[in-house]
Amino acid sequence: MEETPPGSQELKKGSTIGYVLPFVVFIGFLAIHPLVPVPQPVRFLSILALLLIVSRNILPPRPSRLFASVLLGIAVFSIWIGPDVLIPGYRSSFLFSNSIVGHPEGATPPADRNSLFFLIFRVLGSVVTVPIIEELFWRGWMMRWIAVRDFTRIPVGTYNVEAFWIVAALFASEHGSYWDVGLVTGVIYNFWAVRTRNLTDCVVAHAVTNACLAVYVICWGQWQYWL
C-alpha cells in the first residue's frame, strides 16, 4: 500500500479551505442579512482579508488570454441584460417571478442608491471580491471535486460532462430570477475554464461582466440587477 506523505492531508485540507471558505462566508452574509444587515464595507473588507489569508497563491499570477477574457466579459454582460432590453416585461413572467426563484426587485434600499460610500464598496465587492470567490468555488473547486473527490489531482479546466452541467445549473440557481441568463453565463464561464485552464482568465471575464453591470445599474438606474 502506498504511504501518504507526511503533511499531505493538511495541504489538501488547506487547499479546500482556500477555494471554499470565502464563498461560504459570502453566502453566510447574504443569509443573515434579513435579520442582521452587515454593512457593505464590512462585507468587502472581511472577504478581502479572508482571501488574503486562506486563498493567496491559488490563482495564477496573470491571465493567459487577457484581451479575449475582457471581450468575453463584455459579451456576457450583453447576454445578461439582453432579454429585458429586447422584450419589455420579459422578467415579469411566472418563470422568473415566483415563490421559488424570487422576484427581480433588487436588494438595494432607496437610501443607499444615493450614498457614494455604499456605492463604492458595493462596486468593489462586485468587481474585486465576488469574481474571485465565485471562480475559486465554482470553477476552481466544484468542477474538479465533482469529477474527482481528491480534486487537487486534476488541473483547473479538466472537462467532465457531469461536473460541467451540474456547476452550470447550480450557478444558475444562485442568481434567482435571473436563472436563465445565469445558466448561459455558467456554461460560458465553464467553457472558458476548460478552454484556458487558467482560473485568472475566468476571474477577469467575471470581473468585467460585473463592472459593466455595475455601470449599467448605477448610470441607468437598473437596480433590479443587484440582487
Side-chain angles (χ1 to χ4, degrees):
M1 180 181 295
E2 183 180 354
E3 294 185 2
T4 301
S8 63
Q9 291 302 318
E10 289 76 12
L11 176 61
K12 291 176 183 177
K13 181 179 180 181
S15 297
T16 301
I17 289 173
Y19 284 97
V20 175
L21 184 59
F23 182 83
V24 171
V25 172
F26 171 71
I27 295 299
F29 280 143
L30 295 180
I32 68 172
H33 185 75
L35 299 175
V36 185
V38 180
Q40 282 294 331
V42 175
R43 289 196 212 181
F44 172 74
L45 294 173
S46 299
I47 296 295
L48 182 62
L50 192 57
L51 286 170
L52 292 173
I53 293 170
V54 304
S55 306
R56 64 182 184 276
N57 301 325
I58 290 180
L59 291 172
R62 61 183 62 86
S64 61
R65 304 184 185 188
L66 177 59
F67 185 65
S69 295
V70 171
L71 290 181
L72 186 70
I74 296 171
V76 170
F77 161 71
S78 300
I79 291 170
W80 199 266
I81 69 169
D84 301 302
V85 172
L86 297 174
I87 309 172
Y90 171 83
R91 200 61 56 184
S92 62
S93 164
F94 175 76
L95 287 173
F96 312 115
S97 183
N98 57 63
S99 60
I100 297 175
V101 302
H103 305 279
E105 299 170 347
T108 306
D112 287 336
R113 298 175 186 181
N114 297 314
S115 169
L116 181 61
F117 187 68
F118 169 85
L119 292 176
I120 287 173
F121 281 97
R122 181 64 174 83
V123 172
L124 285 173
S126 296
V127 178
V128 179
T129 53
V130 168
I132 296 174
I133 62 177
E134 291 201 335
E135 293 310 315
L136 285 173
F137 181 79
W138 294 117
R139 259 64 64 178
W141 176 72
M142 184 165 282
M143 263 185 75
R144 292 192 286 168
W145 182 82
I146 293 173
V148 178
R149 291 300 182 264
D150 185 2
F151 74 100
T152 58
R153 290 172 49 199
I154 59 176
V156 168
T158 299
Y159 180 72
N160 174 279
V161 64
E162 180 183 7
F164 187 100
W165 289 103
I166 288 176
V167 167
L170 291 175
F171 187 80
S173 70
E174 182 191 15
H175 291 88
S177 296
Y178 295 85
W179 62 264
D180 56 330
V181 289
L183 178 60
V184 176
T185 298
V187 170
I188 292 173
Y189 289 163
N190 287 359
F191 162 79
W192 202 232
V194 172
R195 183 65 180 269
T196 64
R197 296 209 169 195
N198 185 319
L199 204 57
T200 302
D201 281 293
C202 297
V203 170
V204 169
H206 200 149
V208 170
T209 298
N210 286 5
C212 292
L213 195 61
V215 171
Y216 186 64
V217 165
I218 295 170
C219 295
W220 278 268
Q222 301 296 316
W223 301 99
Q224 69 274 13
Y225 289 102
W226 271 1
L227 301 176

